[in-house]
Amino acid sequence: MSVFDDMAVFIRVVEQGSFSGAGRTLRMSPALVSSRIARLESHLGVRLFNRTTRKVTVTEAGRRYYDDCLDIRRRVADAEARVSEHDTMPSGILRLTSSTSFGRQFLAPMIPAFSSRYPDVSLQYRMTDALVDVFGDGMDVSVRIGPLKDSSLKARILSPCPRYIFASPDYLARRGVPETPRDLVDHNCLLLRFPGSRQFRWRFKDGKGEDYDVGVEGTLDSNNGEALKEWALQGAGLVFKTYFEVADEVKAGRLKIVLADHMPQDAYIAALYPYEKYVPPRVRAFIDFLDEAMKADGRFGQAPPKGAFA
């Protein structure tokens, strides 16, 4: 193992906030993560984390080292991209990831057309609803849906994508329609669970337009968003989704939107990539192709019909 491997573990601990959280995403035991961090600290001659029985916090030296590690990753990505910047045609391996629902409904079906246009690009596609470390997992492009956050990644916004809370008419007839986010305490909320997930806190806006979080609970959770959609259709509870994912079910009257006036409209479909200055031709070509295909599709950025609201 090189110091660069230990740096990758260190970055994941900072971002996950614990050895156990980093271990889950890296598929390592907490003990192995701890030993890798101890080895890195010995190599550097500084303490990177303060450890107690309850939590792990990054030291000031660790915070500076984290920033430097991110800079190193960006420089490595740029160096690799610069090698191929003068290629006339996109080629090589393109590593792509997206959420499962978006992948199955749209992205996977369009990939053969991309492959036909660019036959020298070999595409490796991973669908997952869990958080993906684009750098650590060696991804070239991550297509994600949600609010854009400050990140070391570059982002190209492809489309707005409003998010709402949905429930079946049967569920609302049995349990009632929540009037405010605080009413969710009396409802069964279907939760997307994976290491690092924040789906147990749903975001709303107050009367002044400021965002705030509300903790939610439920008897059913899954690491797969499509399972949550199916449960909602069967009347099992409320589900937090982007409109694109359930537009057909809403138009058919199988799902209704609740608390629409409380939802912040700050979600987007975006292509995230790790390259700072030199973007490989294969990455540019894919993002351009995706943008073109989404504009031609017509399903993105659409507003729900008037009858969609409970």
Side-chain angles (χ1 to χ4, degrees), residues 231-254:
W231 293 340
L233 288 167
Q234 294 185 31
L238 301 170
V239 66
F240 187 81
K241 283 281 186 184
T242 60
Y243 179 64
F244 165 79
E245 294 176 89
V246 295
D248 291 343
E249 289 76 12
V250 170
K251 291 174 182 177
R254 299 177 66 198

Side-chain angles (χ1 to χ4, degrees), residues 219-235:
T219 58
L220 297 174
D221 69 62
S222 174
N223 66 347
N224 184 281
E226 291 190 325
L228 305 187
K229 172 183 171 180
E230 182 59 35
W231 293 340
L233 288 167
Q234 294 185 31

Side-chain angles (χ1 to χ4, degrees), residues 241-304:
K241 283 281 186 184
T242 60
Y243 179 64
F244 165 79
E245 294 176 89
V246 295
D248 291 343
E249 289 76 12
V250 170
K251 291 174 182 177
R254 299 177 66 198
L255 291 176
K256 294 289 186 179
I257 298 173
V258 301
L259 300 175
D261 293 338
H262 298 270
M263 303 304 297
Q265 301 301 310
D266 62 348
Y268 302 90
I269 301 175
L272 308 179
Y273 52 95
Y275 305 100
E276 184 76 17
K277 297 178 181 179
Y278 305 102
V279 181
R282 65 184 185 278
V283 173
R284 286 198 305 269
F286 179 80
I287 295 175
D288 288 343
F289 185 89
L290 175 58
D291 192 16
E292 172 188 318
M294 289 179 63
K295 285 181 170 61
D297 184 272
R299 288 180 290 174
F300 300 95
Q302 61 180 321

Side-chain angles (χ1 to χ4, degrees), residues 117-129:
R117 184 181 296 186
Y118 300 105
D120 292 332
V121 176
S122 298
L123 196 144
Q124 298 177 355
Y125 183 25
R126 173 186 171 192
M127 285 186 282
T128 176
D129 290 322

